[in-house]
Amino acid sequence: MYSRRFTPERISELKENEIFVFGSNLAGAHGGGAALLAYRQFGAVWGKGVGLHGRTYAIPTMQGGVQTIKPYVDEFIRFAIEHPWLTFLVTRIGCGIAGFQDRDIAPLFKAAINVENIILPKGFVDYIVPNETENYHQ
């Protein structure tokens, strides 16, 4: 069961120990969407398309189908578990410029549903544990 808050639709600031998790490309060309925000505001590094940089964590989503994203999501979940003092705000990675839908990406985060320091978008949670968030308020 998911009983935590959801990632806000718009993130303009981060609290202490919060990390902005966004969809990137392998080249780390953060030119649009959440990637551009990560670069301009939270310390994403141009040319670095994977992992922790500044107050961001990049997950590549532009290199092919959903199956090519899964290893990077799995790596992210392991990283978050190993860094429990950080709180990871997962944006709707892959659901903007990359062109996927919540129903495509959400299942990749099933293993994160009970990881306390990973905060997921409501749209992802709705696909992972349907009907459990109907009465939950942010």
Side-chain angles (χ1 to χ4, degrees):
M1 180 172 169
Y2 188 86
S3 59
R4 297 180 304 284
R5 63 186 169 131
F6 302 109
T7 303
E9 287 288 321
R10 299 270 183 235
I11 298 173
S12 57
E13 62 183 22
L14 295 171
K15 295 178 185 166
E16 187 174 344
N17 294 327
E18 285 186 335
I19 304 297
F20 183 84
V21 181
F22 68 101
S24 67
N25 57 64
L26 287 168
H30 308 306
L36 184 59
L37 177 65
Y39 176 69
R40 286 185 174 164
Q41 234 175 300
F42 302 126
V45 176
W46 198 269
K48 303 286 184 182
V50 182
L52 184 71
H53 303 285
R55 298 188 67 194
T56 71
Y57 192 100
I59 298 176
T61 60
M62 303 285 290
Q63 66 279 355
V66 172
Q67 72 281 0
T68 70
I69 300 169
K70 185 177 182 346
Y72 295 104
V73 172
D74 292 345
E75 180 181 331
F76 159 71
I77 294 169
R78 281 191 299 275
F79 184 88
I81 290 168
E82 292 169 358
H83 296 82
W85 59 91
L86 298 174
T87 299
F88 296 88
L89 303 177
V90 178
T91 63
R92 293 177 60 241
I93 70 155
C95 296
I97 296 168
F100 297 103
Q101 301 294 314
D102 288 353
R103 68 177 173 266
D104 303 318
I105 301 297
L108 302 179
F109 286 90
K110 187 171 184 170
I113 204 73
N114 292 315
V115 179
E116 291 293 320
N117 63 330
I118 297 177
I119 308 302
L120 297 172
K122 185 176 185 309
F124 285 12
V125 175
D126 286 345
Y127 277 98
I128 298 168
V129 284
N131 303 319
E132 285 197 22
T133 62
E134 289 176 0
N135 297 317
Y136 182 77
H137 302 285
Q138 288 187 185

